[in-house]
Amino acid sequence: MKLLFAAFTGLVFGVGIALSGMMDPAKVLNFFDLAGAWDPSLAFVMAGALVVTFLGYRLVWRRRAPIFEDRFQVPTATAIDGKLVGGAALFGIGWGIAGFCPGAALPALGTGRWEVVLFLAAVVAGFWLRRAVTALPPMRPAQ
Amino acid sequence: METAFTPLLSLGGGLAIGLGAVLLMLGLGRILGATGIISGIVFPESGEEARWRIALVAGMMLAPGLIYLVSGSMPALDIPVSPAMIALGGVVVGLGASLGSGCTSGHGVCGLSRLSIRSLVAVPVFMATAAATVFVIRHVIGA
């Protein structure tokens, strides 16, 4: 049941991504192209998603636990550090280069387009690169 | 390339994206963040942790097909950038999202709805660098 629920949740999210225009790089890049062919549609995506999630989370959190687990698992970190800001800055640069973000590319896999597979393979390479870099021993100061 | 302004469709899609995020919190008590979902499949902590994420992604991938069955056409997916740019952007997206602990779905939808201080910093940063990147590529370099 839990896996069926997860799959249904994914379908709802994916239909939202597809209808909204988020899986269309031409539309995403135009949203960011304020000085050119600006298409403000994606502001409406964000507004719709935030209203539902903001209110829905608060309703859900009145429960003691989710349906299929014994507790809610929500991030607790609050540190504003270089990793957060630098990582977010890099993420935006990559988004602006490719026009895809991970949450849009996952449902887009269902279109069968090879470019989506290429993008997600590159994203995984980026994850791996971050793991490889942060696993390095700290550099010794120069003598 | 111009894209059509679609405020109602984008708002409706956004509502469904939010509903997906709320359903995952209701059922499994988790944040719907694509970065964490992909990482949890590629670098799984356990079979249990990988399984629900695979079910979620499988559901997402059914979305374009469902839209095709209902409307008779696949969702728009126009890619105005080269395969090399998709690959480069993907690596930078993966590196940045991993360092910054999230992307558009995790920080943008779920984090802002939780009023997470880290997301309140990360989202304006990545929106700004994405817009700056598109400006440089389209209006400075002129690609």
Side-chain angles (χ1 to χ4, degrees):
Chain A
M1 267 317 281
K2 175 179 151 184
L3 295 184
L4 210 58
F5 186 95
F8 176 73
T9 297
L11 181 61
V12 171
F13 177 85
V15 165
I17 290 286
L19 289 181
S20 68
M22 283 293 296
M23 71 163 59
D24 185 4
K27 205 166 176 63
V28 172
L29 292 174
N30 280 356
F31 175 68
F32 289 121
D33 191 6
L34 301 168
W38 191 47
D39 175 356
S41 304
L42 298 197
F44 290 76
V45 183
M46 207 58 179
L50 282 177
V51 167
V52 173
T53 311
F54 184 87
L55 297 174
Y57 271 3
R58 276 147 191 84
L59 282 175
V60 167
W61 288 334
R62 290 185 182 180
R63 298 172 56 97
R64 292 174 55 176
I67 299 171
F68 300 105
E69 302 287 342
D70 51 17
R71 63 192 172 96
F72 293 108
Q73 291 191 51
V74 174
T76 51
T78 55
I80 309 297
D81 51 16
K83 271 174 67 181
L84 176 75
V85 176
L90 274 176
F91 169 73
I93 291 170
W95 196 13
I97 292 173
F100 280 116
C101 64
L106 288 175
L109 275 174
T111 63
R113 293 282 294 268
W114 64 270
E115 297 96 330
V116 180
V117 179
L118 172 66
F119 174 77
L120 282 170
V123 169
V124 170
F127 288 170
W128 177 84
L129 197 63
R130 199 278 298 167
R131 285 171 170 252
V133 169
T134 49
L136 289 175
M139 273 201 290
R140 286 230 208 122
Q143 296 292 318
Chain B
M1 185 171 70
E2 297 276 335
T3 50
F5 178 49
T6 54
L8 285 180
L9 209 52
S10 289
L11 183 69
L15 297 175
I17 292 169
L19 183 60
V22 172
L23 282 174
L24 194 67
M25 186 60 70
L26 172 67
L28 281 75
R30 298 296 191 116
I31 294 293
L32 205 167
T35 298
I37 289 161
I38 299 170
S39 297
I41 292 173
V42 182
F43 310 103
E45 285 170 23
S46 67
E48 179 73 17
E49 284 299 300
R51 268 191 292 276
W52 68 264
R53 291 183 169 93
I54 292 169
L56 188 75
V57 170
M60 289 182 188
M61 288 172 63
L62 293 176
L66 179 66
I67 286 174
Y68 179 78
L69 285 177
V70 173
S71 74
S73 58
M74 275 289 189
L77 204 165
D78 291 312
I79 302 175
V81 299
S82 67
M85 297 280 267
I86 292 175
L88 173 67
V91 172
V92 178
V93 160
L95 188 61
S98 179
L99 268 176
S101 310
C103 53
T104 328
S105 46
H107 276 311
V109 175
C110 301
L112 291 186
S113 294
R114 295 191 302 113
L115 302 178
S116 152
I117 183 77
R118 281 166 57 85
S119 301
L120 289 165
V121 171
V123 176
V125 168
F126 68 60
M127 297 298 261
T129 57
T133 302
V134 171
F135 182 81
V136 169
I137 290 174
R138 290 195 173 174
H139 303 290
V140 178
I141 303 171

